[in-house]
Amino acid sequence: MPPEPKTCQACGRTIEWRKKWERDWDQVRYCSTACRKRGVSDVDRRLEDTILDLLAQRARTSTICPSDAARAVGDDDSWRDLMEPARRAARRLVDRGEVEITQGGHVVDPSTAKGPIRIRRR
C-alpha cells in the first residue's frame, strides 16, 4: 500500500508516491527540480498575504481572481508575470486549509484545475 500523497511546498500541487522515492519519501518536499530551485520567495509570501487580505475585505462568500493579487503586488508592467506565482500561492493556501479554488462556482482540485479560477475563503 503506497503512502498518502503529499503537497509540493513550492507550487501546491499533489505529489504522488513513486517507487523511486521508496527510501526517501519522508524527505520529498518538491514535485520537480524546477520547484526545488524556485522554492518560496518573499514575493510568493506577499502574494499569499495579499490573497488573504483581499478576501478579508470582501463578503464571506465573495471570490477573487488571482489577477487581483498579482495587480496588488506588481505594477502596471509586471503584474502579468505574477499570474502563475499567484496561482501557486493560492494552491499553497488551499493546502493549509485557508481558501478554496473554484471554477464555475464549484470547488475544484487545485492540482488539476485548468483555465480561469476563483479563490474564496474556506
Side-chain angles (χ1 to χ4, degrees):
M1 181 91 174
E4 287 294 312
K6 296 180 178 186
T7 302
C8 178
Q9 291 183 357
C11 72
R13 288 193 170 98
T14 302
I15 307 171
E16 298 290 336
W17 184 84
R18 296 180 191 164
K19 179 76 172 158
K20 71 177 186 176
W21 290 332
E22 189 171 24
R23 286 180 282 170
D24 302 324
W25 182 243
D26 292 337
Q27 286 77 41
V28 172
R29 296 177 20 213
Y30 302 103
C31 66
S32 66
T33 303
C35 281
R36 185 172 42 257
K37 287 180 182 177
R38 184 184 313 114
V40 179
S41 69
D42 290 338
V43 171
D44 294 326
R45 287 185 191 86
R46 278 196 355 240
L47 284 164
E48 289 177 14
D49 293 340
T50 301
I51 289 169
L52 295 174
D53 290 345
L54 289 170
L55 288 170
Q57 296 170 17
R58 295 198 163 102
R60 184 87 180 129
T61 57
S62 294
T63 63
I64 64 165
C65 179
S67 65
D68 297 333
R71 282 185 174 101
V73 171
D75 56 30
D76 289 341
D77 297 327
S78 69
W79 73 267
R80 282 184 176 81
D81 295 335
L82 294 176
M83 282 299 294
E84 185 53 34
R87 289 174 69 101
R88 287 194 303 262
R91 287 192 298 263
R92 287 191 302 272
L93 290 171
V94 167
D95 184 51
R96 293 200 309 246
E98 297 184 51
V99 301
E100 296 174 327
I101 290 180
T102 63
Q103 285 182 319
H106 302 288
V107 176
V108 295
D109 179 1
S111 291
T112 58
K114 303 267 190 253
I117 62 170
R118 302 290 294 179
I119 307 164
R120 72 177 179 204
R121 282 188 282 182
R122 195 159 211 178

